[in-house]
Amino acid sequence: MSDVDTHTDPQDDGGPGGAYEERPPLLVLDGVVRRYRQGEATLEVLAGASMVMNAGESIALIAPSGTGKSTLLHVAGLLERPDSGEVFLDGEPTSGLSDDARTAIRRNQIGFVYQFHHLLPEFSALENVVMPQLIRGLAPAEAKSRAEDLLGYLGLGKRLTHRPAELSGGEQQRVAIARAVANAPRLLFADEPTGNLDPTTSAHVFQTLTALARASGLSAMVATHNLDLAATLDRRVTLRDGVLVEV
């Protein structure tokens, strides 16, 4: 696969002569291997997967079920450690970090959206988006204001007090998207975020997700089977025999 050029920041003066300092990519997977034990056998899901993702870039991960898409997202999102290889964030290796340090990175810099919304059923849409911000330490008033703004942007301004059971499938998933970006992460990983929705609702939710990512400068990797939706993102990759390949 071909590398993607890293961005440079014209505000960063590299020193004499006015040369600019080149920033590292936001996320790099370098030869990532992930294995699982199945009885006495070992299943190698990722077999040296490598990828470069720059700030603000959106990538569609297209591959059949069972090829390791979820595993890749979990490793890239620091939910799992690779068995070998490395995941770099801002040029810094992460696999050797403590569990607490990895949790802090996930809480502050990474958002996740799954096929099922996983909303807390006893809380309203607003409360579901406020919750992660309170956990991070934001003041309740600020968290509430941010949640209202996000849900309003996603077209849910009149549904703030509704619980998940009172929302449609598309509305529930939009609340899940708002929750995922509530703490202003830099990276967003979405695992088949429209897999449970009908085609019309799926397209609307996908467009909402990508529009929000672009408006906020998020880097996003979205696993999807929908080739039409994948075509709207910056790049498309697939997994072949545990290795990432550009398509």
Side-chain angles (χ1 to χ4, degrees), residues 61-79:
L61 174 58
I62 312 163
S65 298
T67 54
K69 296 192 303 296
S70 295
T71 297
L72 179 76
L73 295 180
H74 289 172
V75 172
L78 308 190
L79 288 169

PDB file of all heavy atoms in Angstrom, residues 61-79:
ATOM      1  N   LEU A  61     -13.044   1.061   5.812  1.00  0.00           N
ATOM      2  CA  LEU A  61     -12.488  -0.282   5.917  1.00  0.00           C
ATOM      3  C   LEU A  61     -13.542  -1.250   5.379  1.00  0.00           C
ATOM      4  O   LEU A  61     -14.582  -1.448   5.992  1.00  0.00           O
ATOM      5  CB  LEU A  61     -12.146  -0.605   7.373  1.00  0.00           C
ATOM      6  CG  LEU A  61     -11.675  -2.022   7.681  1.00  0.00           C
ATOM      7  CD1 LEU A  61     -10.424  -2.380   6.870  1.00  0.00           C
ATOM      8  CD2 LEU A  61     -11.392  -2.167   9.178  1.00  0.00           C
ATOM      9  N   ILE A  62     -13.262  -1.800   4.201  1.00  0.00           N
ATOM     10  CA  ILE A  62     -14.229  -2.655   3.508  1.00  0.00           C
ATOM     11  C   ILE A  62     -13.666  -4.071   3.461  1.00  0.00           C
ATOM     12  O   ILE A  62     -12.603  -4.313   2.882  1.00  0.00           O
ATOM     13  CB  ILE A  62     -14.456  -2.170   2.058  1.00  0.00           C
ATOM     14  CG1 ILE A  62     -14.708  -0.662   2.015  1.00  0.00           C
ATOM     15  CG2 ILE A  62     -15.606  -2.912   1.408  1.00  0.00           C
ATOM     16  CD1 ILE A  62     -14.541  -0.067   0.631  1.00  0.00           C
ATOM     17  N   ALA A  63     -14.378  -4.997   4.073  1.00  0.00           N
ATOM     18  CA  ALA A  63     -13.935  -6.392   4.043  1.00  0.00           C
ATOM     19  C   ALA A  63     -15.090  -7.274   4.500  1.00  0.00           C
ATOM     20  O   ALA A  63     -15.945  -6.830   5.264  1.00  0.00           O
ATOM     21  CB  ALA A  63     -12.708  -6.596   4.945  1.00  0.00           C
ATOM     22  N   PRO A  64     -15.138  -8.519   4.047  1.00  0.00           N
ATOM     23  CA  PRO A  64     -16.206  -9.427   4.470  1.00  0.00           C
ATOM     24  C   PRO A  64     -16.154  -9.682   5.973  1.00  0.00           C
ATOM     25  O   PRO A  64     -15.126  -9.479   6.626  1.00  0.00           O
ATOM     26  CB  PRO A  64     -15.908 -10.711   3.681  1.00  0.00           C
ATOM     27  CG  PRO A  64     -15.035 -10.293   2.548  1.00  0.00           C
ATOM     28  CD  PRO A  64     -14.232  -9.133   3.067  1.00  0.00           C
ATOM     29  N   SER A  65     -17.266 -10.153   6.517  1.00  0.00           N
ATOM     30  CA  SER A  65     -17.314 -10.522   7.932  1.00  0.00           C
ATOM     31  C   SER A  65     -16.310 -11.643   8.194  1.00  0.00           C
ATOM     32  O   SER A  65     -16.078 -12.517   7.347  1.00  0.00           O
ATOM     33  CB  SER A  65     -18.717 -10.990   8.314  1.00  0.00           C
ATOM     34  OG  SER A  65     -19.653  -9.956   8.131  1.00  0.00           O
ATOM     35  N   GLY A  66     -15.691 -11.585   9.352  1.00  0.00           N
ATOM     36  CA  GLY A  66     -14.755 -12.628   9.748  1.00  0.00           C
ATOM     37  C   GLY A  66     -13.337 -12.425   9.283  1.00  0.00           C
ATOM     38  O   GLY A  66     -12.477 -13.283   9.515  1.00  0.00           O
ATOM     39  N   THR A  67     -13.055 -11.279   8.660  1.00  0.00           N
ATOM     40  CA  THR A  67     -11.693 -11.041   8.165  1.00  0.00           C
ATOM     41  C   THR A  67     -10.837 -10.244   9.144  1.00  0.00           C
ATOM     42  O   THR A  67      -9.651 -10.046   8.896  1.00  0.00           O
ATOM     43  CB  THR A  67     -11.727 -10.299   6.814  1.00  0.00           C
ATOM     44  OG1 THR A  67     -12.506  -9.109   6.957  1.00  0.00           O
ATOM     45  CG2 THR A  67     -12.344 -11.169   5.734  1.00  0.00           C
ATOM     46  N   GLY A  68     -11.439  -9.757  10.234  1.00  0.00           N
ATOM     47  CA  GLY A  68     -10.639  -9.062  11.241  1.00  0.00           C
ATOM     48  C   GLY A  68     -10.876  -7.569  11.337  1.00  0.00           C
ATOM     49  O   GLY A  68     -10.069  -6.854  11.955  1.00  0.00           O
ATOM     50  N   LYS A  69     -11.970  -7.064  10.770  1.00  0.00           N
ATOM     51  CA  LYS A  69     -12.218  -5.624  10.816  1.00  0.00           C
ATOM     52  C   LYS A  69     -12.348  -5.124  12.257  1.00  0.00           C
ATOM     53  O   LYS A  69     -11.739  -4.118  12.625  1.00  0.00           O
ATOM     54  CB  LYS A  69     -13.500  -5.263  10.039  1.00  0.00           C
ATOM     55  CG  LYS A  69     -13.442  -5.542   8.556  1.00  0.00           C
ATOM     56  CD  LYS A  69     -14.602  -4.895   7.813  1.00  0.00           C
ATOM     57  CE  LYS A  69     -15.958  -5.319   8.328  1.00  0.00           C
ATOM     58  NZ  LYS A  69     -16.218  -6.763   8.136  1.00  0.00           N
ATOM     59  N   SER A  70     -13.151  -5.819  13.048  1.00  0.00           N
ATOM     60  CA  SER A  70     -13.338  -5.379  14.434  1.00  0.00           C
ATOM     61  C   SER A  70     -12.037  -5.458  15.217  1.00  0.00           C
ATOM     62  O   SER A  70     -11.718  -4.569  16.012  1.00  0.00           O
ATOM     63  CB  SER A  70     -14.427  -6.220  15.121  1.00  0.00           C
ATOM     64  OG  SER A  70     -15.691  -6.013  14.518  1.00  0.00           O
ATOM     65  N   THR A  71     -11.279  -6.510  14.987  1.00  0.00           N
ATOM     66  CA  THR A  71      -9.984  -6.646  15.660  1.00  0.00           C
ATOM     67  C   THR A  71      -9.064  -5.491  15.304  1.00  0.00           C
ATOM     68  O   THR A  71      -8.405  -4.912  16.175  1.00  0.00           O
ATOM     69  CB  THR A  71      -9.324  -7.983  15.272  1.00  0.00           C
ATOM     70  OG1 THR A  71     -10.142  -9.063  15.731  1.00  0.00           O
ATOM     71  CG2 THR A  71      -7.934  -8.104  15.889  1.00  0.00           C
ATOM     72  N   LEU A  72      -9.030  -5.137  14.031  1.00  0.00           N
ATOM     73  CA  LEU A  72      -8.190  -4.019  13.604  1.00  0.00           C
ATOM     74  C   LEU A  72      -8.601  -2.733  14.307  1.00  0.00           C
ATOM     75  O   LEU A  72      -7.743  -1.984  14.803  1.00  0.00           O
ATOM     76  CB  LEU A  72      -8.275  -3.845  12.092  1.00  0.00           C
ATOM     77  CG  LEU A  72      -7.442  -2.681  11.553  1.00  0.00           C
ATOM     78  CD1 LEU A  72      -5.966  -3.046  11.532  1.00  0.00           C
ATOM     79  CD2 LEU A  72      -7.898  -2.262  10.166  1.00  0.00           C
ATOM     80  N   LEU A  73      -9.899  -2.452  14.360  1.00  0.00           N
ATOM     81  CA  LEU A  73     -10.371  -1.239  15.021  1.00  0.00           C
ATOM     82  C   LEU A  73     -10.048  -1.266  16.507  1.00  0.00           C
ATOM     83  O   LEU A  73      -9.695  -0.237  17.093  1.00  0.00           O
ATOM     84  CB  LEU A  73     -11.880  -1.082  14.814  1.00  0.00           C
ATOM     85  CG  LEU A  73     -12.350  -0.863  13.369  1.00  0.00           C
ATOM     86  CD1 LEU A  73     -13.863  -0.720  13.323  1.00  0.00           C
ATOM     87  CD2 LEU A  73     -11.693   0.358  12.747  1.00  0.00           C
ATOM     88  N   HIS A  74     -10.175  -2.427  17.133  1.00  0.00           N
ATOM     89  CA  HIS A  74      -9.879  -2.527  18.571  1.00  0.00           C
ATOM     90  C   HIS A  74      -8.397  -2.290  18.853  1.00  0.00           C
ATOM     91  O   HIS A  74      -8.044  -1.633  19.838  1.00  0.00           O
ATOM     92  CB  HIS A  74     -10.283  -3.901  19.092  1.00  0.00           C
ATOM     93  CG  HIS A  74     -11.762  -4.095  19.172  1.00  0.00           C
ATOM     94  ND1 HIS A  74     -12.349  -5.311  19.461  1.00  0.00           N
ATOM     95  CD2 HIS A  74     -12.791  -3.220  19.007  1.00  0.00           C
ATOM     96  CE1 HIS A  74     -13.654  -5.187  19.465  1.00  0.00           C
ATOM     97  NE2 HIS A  74     -13.944  -3.919  19.196  1.00  0.00           N
ATOM     98  N   VAL A  75      -7.533  -2.814  17.996  1.00  0.00           N
ATOM     99  CA  VAL A  75      -6.095  -2.602  18.189  1.00  0.00           C
ATOM    100  C   VAL A  75      -5.731  -1.145  17.911  1.00  0.00           C
ATOM    101  O   VAL A  75      -5.005  -0.506  18.680  1.00  0.00           O
ATOM    102  CB  VAL A  75      -5.281  -3.554  17.297  1.00  0.00           C
ATOM    103  CG1 VAL A  75      -3.792  -3.199  17.351  1.00  0.00           C
ATOM    104  CG2 VAL A  75      -5.487  -5.002  17.733  1.00  0.00           C
ATOM    105  N   ALA A  76      -6.252  -0.597  16.813  1.00  0.00           N
ATOM    106  CA  ALA A  76      -5.954   0.799  16.475  1.00  0.00           C
ATOM    107  C   ALA A  76      -6.504   1.754  17.516  1.00  0.00           C
ATOM    108  O   ALA A  76      -5.904   2.800  17.792  1.00  0.00           O
ATOM    109  CB  ALA A  76      -6.529   1.136  15.095  1.00  0.00           C
ATOM    110  N   GLY A  77      -7.640   1.400  18.121  1.00  0.00           N
ATOM    111  CA  GLY A  77      -8.259   2.242  19.140  1.00  0.00           C
ATOM    112  C   GLY A  77      -7.791   1.964  20.547  1.00  0.00           C
ATOM    113  O   GLY A  77      -8.390   2.454  21.516  1.00  0.00           O
ATOM    114  N   LEU A  78      -6.736   1.150  20.692  1.00  0.00           N
ATOM    115  CA  LEU A  78      -6.102   0.857  21.984  1.00  0.00           C
ATOM    116  C   LEU A  78      -7.012   0.091  22.936  1.00  0.00           C
ATOM    117  O   LEU A  78      -6.823   0.125  24.158  1.00  0.00           O
ATOM    118  CB  LEU A  78      -5.604   2.144  22.668  1.00  0.00           C
ATOM    119  CG  LEU A  78      -4.712   3.073  21.845  1.00  0.00           C
ATOM    120  CD1 LEU A  78      -4.113   4.157  22.739  1.00  0.00           C
ATOM    121  CD2 LEU A  78      -3.618   2.308  21.134  1.00  0.00           C
ATOM    122  N   LEU A  79      -8.002  -0.621  22.391  1.00  0.00           N
ATOM    123  CA  LEU A  79      -8.807  -1.513  23.220  1.00  0.00           C
ATOM    124  C   LEU A  79      -8.115  -2.858  23.402  1.00  0.00           C
ATOM    125  O   LEU A  79      -8.356  -3.563  24.388  1.00  0.00           O
ATOM    126  CB  LEU A  79     -10.186  -1.723  22.590  1.00  0.00           C
ATOM    127  CG  LEU A  79     -11.138  -0.537  22.641  1.00  0.00           C
ATOM    128  CD1 LEU A  79     -12.353  -0.786  21.759  1.00  0.00           C
ATOM    129  CD2 LEU A  79     -11.581  -0.260  24.080  1.00  0.00           C
TER     130      LEU A  79
END
